Amino acid sequence: MKIAKIIPIYKAKEKTVMGNYRPISLLPSTSKILEKAVHKRLYEFCKNKHILFGDQYGFRPKHSTTDAIAKFTAHVSKAMENKLITISVFLDLSKAFDTIDHTTLLKKLHFYGIRGLALEWFRSYLTDRTQFVSYKDINSIQRDVTCGVPQGSVLGPLLFIIYTNDLPNALLYSKCVLFADDTTVYHTSNDPNTLRENVEHDLVSLSDWFRANKLSLNVLKTNFVLFAPKNMSLANDITSIRLGDEIIPRVDHAKFLGIYIDELLEWGYHIDHTRKKIASGIYAINSAKRYLSVDNLKSLYFSFVHSYLSYGAMIWSSAYQFRLHKLEILQQKAIRNVCKAKYNASSTHLFQYLRVPKLADIFNIQLSKFMFLYTKGKLAESLKTIFSTNSSIHSHNTRHCRDPHIVTRRTSFIARTFVHCAPKVWLDLPNNIRTITSVGHFSSQVKKHFISLY
């Protein structure tokens, strides 16, 4: 139960270079059955005792990458609306899961209340583990695993977020959003000099925390984005920040949990990246349409086109219409290929025929689902304050007092963001859809609702 079989999977470039292979760890199925039982009890213990950091979105039920991005962008957009500057540092950790120190992890488990027989179980689980490499039916000798959480295990991810749970305590001025080992630190102020000093102070403290916990920060792959309103000249004074003797460069965009986020939250880089991916998908669909049925081509569409259009869509739906229009043209082209229609055929009835939502309605469906989870109390705890209800604005006992409040806007920028749009989309839904209690039923009905409008 403690022996891992490592299979190297080729990624790209030169096959003779070991770094171009991804090690996949396989563990016995019987061990995972036991781990699932322990995982359930450990997570319930952490949840009931409110141990886990609220803005840790990795490997937790009711938490997702979209939730993490939503929390971060909501903060940044509100700051920009109030003419404040935000520095966000996107940290890169080197092989974080593989360098976890077992002694330190056991001490942290003891600190959080895992003691006695339970702690000894985890000590046994972590120690005396071995692994071997298997390649082309040839096995290496077994080697001891002296650090890291077991790769491919059920418990490993949960143990990792417990290990890094006290990371936010190293920050005096800044906040952070975590998704497993993806760490983003951000701080907001109206004074550039104070902003730089506070962030640099927190980065030094964070670097000390990494060293104390035997984790390695890759400074060469760490960068920061400065978010500020347009025409704010003070922001141009910050071109870099320091971490000891190292310089962390400023970039105009960064990849954040699969989405390219730019310094003005205009989403141009992300949309360009999505267009390239979709163009490749359309080429594949076009090449296959002579041989496959419409149903099979529809499956290709959802794999190669819809998946890119839908990921994080409610976040980047605030992009300017001229950028979104380029994606709409590509989506229409893909739908025509699926239906084997002429290049200039009207696409509206094709969307209706395939029961596929247009790009604008992909946004509306995601905003509706987000608000459904919010109103039913099924969002992550840290997101429950992202909106406010009418009752928190006024004390009148009206029939709409429990509805989400539409934020007052001062600029067109905030009017495009999901913080403003989501409550409006929700309130425009028919009442019979808003009163649905099942997530699955709501998802199917809200999709039918928007497609029925074509």
Side-chain angles (χ1 to χ4, degrees):
M1 294 178 72
K2 294 185 179 183
I3 301 174
K5 179 181 180 179
I6 309 297
I7 298 178
I9 302 296
Y10 171 69
K11 293 189 293 185
K13 299 181 181 179
E14 183 58 49
K15 289 190 175 183
T16 58
V17 178
M18 298 298 291
N20 293 335
Y21 288 79
R22 185 188 305 278
I24 303 299
S25 176
L26 302 179
L27 294 172
S29 299
T30 50
S31 69
K32 293 186 178 182
I33 296 172
L34 177 59
E35 285 187 55
K36 284 186 177 181
V38 177
H39 180 283
K40 182 178 180 180
R41 297 186 66 176
L42 178 60
Y43 185 79
E44 286 298 318
F45 175 81
C46 292
K47 178 182 176 182
N48 293 336
K49 301 297 182 182
H50 305 289
I51 290 172
L52 297 179
F53 173 54
D55 282 329
Q56 168 62 268
Y57 295 88
F59 308 118
R60 301 177 64 184
K62 299 182 182 179
H63 294 69
S64 67
T65 53
T66 302
D67 292 341
I69 301 167
K71 177 64 182 291
F72 175 74
T73 54
H75 173 90
V76 172
S77 59
K78 288 177 181 178
M80 292 173 70
E81 171 78 356
N82 294 321
K83 300 189 182 303
L84 298 174
I85 308 170
T86 301
I87 283 181
S88 178
V89 186
F90 299 92
L91 303 171
D92 184 86
L93 299 181
S94 300
K95 299 181 179 179
F97 282 79
D98 298 329
T99 57
I100 295 294
D101 181 67
H102 292 167
T103 302
T104 305
L105 174 56
L106 290 169
K107 287 181 180 178
K108 292 189 179 190
L109 288 172
H110 182 273
F111 173 80
Y112 290 126
I114 314 298
R115 297 167 189 165
L117 190 60
L119 184 64
E120 291 307 310
W121 188 94
F122 282 105
R123 190 187 308 278
S124 172
Y125 172 78
L126 292 168
T127 55
D128 299 325
R129 303 190 78 93
T130 59
Q131 64 183 24
F132 68 94
V133 178
S134 179
Y135 183 69
K136 293 185 177 180
D137 297 326
I138 299 175
N139 297 336
S140 72
I141 63 172
Q142 291 186 21
R143 297 284 189 180
D144 293 335
V145 180
T146 58
C147 62
V149 292
Q151 296 294 300
S153 65
V154 176
L155 272 172
L158 178 55
L159 291 175
F160 179 84
I161 64 175
I162 291 175
Y163 189 86
T164 57
N165 192 58
D166 59 326
L167 181 151
N169 296 339
L171 303 173
L172 180 60
Y173 303 103
S174 307
K175 298 180 180 179
C176 65
V177 171
L178 307 176
F179 192 93
D181 59 335
D182 281 299
T183 305
T184 303
V185 175
Y186 60 96
H187 181 45
T188 299
S189 176
N190 60 355
D191 179 42
N193 294 324
T194 302
L195 186 63
R196 182 197 287 115
E197 291 174 4
N198 290 348
V199 170
E200 289 180 344
H201 176 277
D202 281 344
L203 286 178
V204 171
S205 298
L206 203 54
S207 181
D208 292 339
W209 185 92
F210 286 134
R211 278 194 295 271
N213 289 273
K214 299 184 180 180
L215 295 176
S216 177
L217 175 64
N218 189 345
V219 180
L220 295 177
K221 291 186 178 181
T222 296
N223 49 47
F224 79 94
V225 176
L226 191 145
F227 300 94
K230 284 184 177 179
N231 304 321
M232 194 170 191
S233 58
L234 290 174
N236 296 325
D237 296 337
I238 306 176
T239 57
S240 64
I241 53 179
R242 301 186 68 88
L243 173 54
D245 296 330
E246 302 282 353
I247 298 293
I248 297 178
R250 175 180 172 180
V251 294
D252 56 7
H253 70 282
K255 192 175 184 180
F256 179 49
L257 298 177
I259 287 185
Y260 289 88
I261 182 168
D262 60 87
E263 58 189 0
L264 293 174
L265 293 185
E266 293 181 343
W267 309 107
Y269 291 99
H270 181 73
I271 289 174
D272 288 342
H273 172 75
T274 304
R275 285 173 60 200
K276 293 176 183 177
K277 293 292 186 180
I278 289 176
S280 299
I282 291 174
Y283 178 80
I285 295 171
N286 188 50
S287 301
K289 69 181 181 181
R290 289 177 293 176
Y291 311 105
L292 300 178
S293 66
V294 172
D295 286 340
N296 288 332
L297 291 172
K298 184 178 176 181
S299 297
L300 289 181
Y301 165 82
F302 277 101
S303 297
F304 296 145
V305 178
H306 189 84
S307 58
Y308 291 104
L309 291 176
S310 60
Y311 178 65
M314 75 168 200
I315 309 295
W316 52 268
S317 63
S318 61
Y320 287 115
Q321 184 56 41
F322 77 89
R323 289 196 171 98
L324 297 176
H325 182 61
K326 296 175 182 178
L327 288 178
E328 290 173 341
I329 292 174
L330 287 176
Q331 188 192 26
Q332 292 166 6
K333 185 176 180 180
I335 290 298
R336 291 189 185 103
N337 282 331
V338 169
C339 293
K340 304 180 184 182
K342 293 182 179 180
Y343 74 95
N344 59 351
S346 174
S347 61
T348 299
H349 76 281
L350 299 180
F351 280 103
Q352 190 175 39
Y353 167 70
L354 294 174
R355 312 300 293 170
V356 170
K358 297 179 181 180
L359 181 63
D361 290 320
I362 291 176
F363 299 152
N364 289 331
I365 290 169
Q366 288 203 2
L367 292 169
S368 300
K369 286 182 181 179
F370 191 80
M371 291 305 302
F372 173 83
L373 295 174
Y374 169 77
T375 56
K376 305 303 180 186
K378 295 182 179 181
L379 275 182
E381 196 69 31
S382 59
L383 291 174
K384 291 183 178 178
T385 58
I386 205 166
F387 301 109
S388 54
T389 59
N390 289 330
S391 60
S392 65
I393 307 300
H394 60 74
S395 58
H396 305 296
N397 187 23
T398 65
R399 61 177 177 171
H400 298 296
C401 65
R402 294 185 180 179
D403 288 342
H405 179 69
I406 299 177
V407 179
T408 304
R409 63 189 191 192
R410 292 201 300 269
T411 65
S412 59
F413 167 74
I414 199 70
R416 299 194 309 271
T417 63
F418 80 94
V419 176
H420 180 83
C421 292
K424 188 175 184 302
V425 171
W426 171 256
L427 294 174
D428 286 342
L429 288 175
N431 190 59
N432 64 309
I433 294 180
R434 285 194 285 134
T435 53
I436 293 173
T437 57
S438 164
V439 177
H441 187 206
F442 176 84
S443 298
S444 64
Q445 291 302 309
V446 79
K447 180 181 176 181
K448 287 180 182 178
H449 166 71
F450 284 109
I451 292 178
S452 68
L453 302 177
Y454 297 166

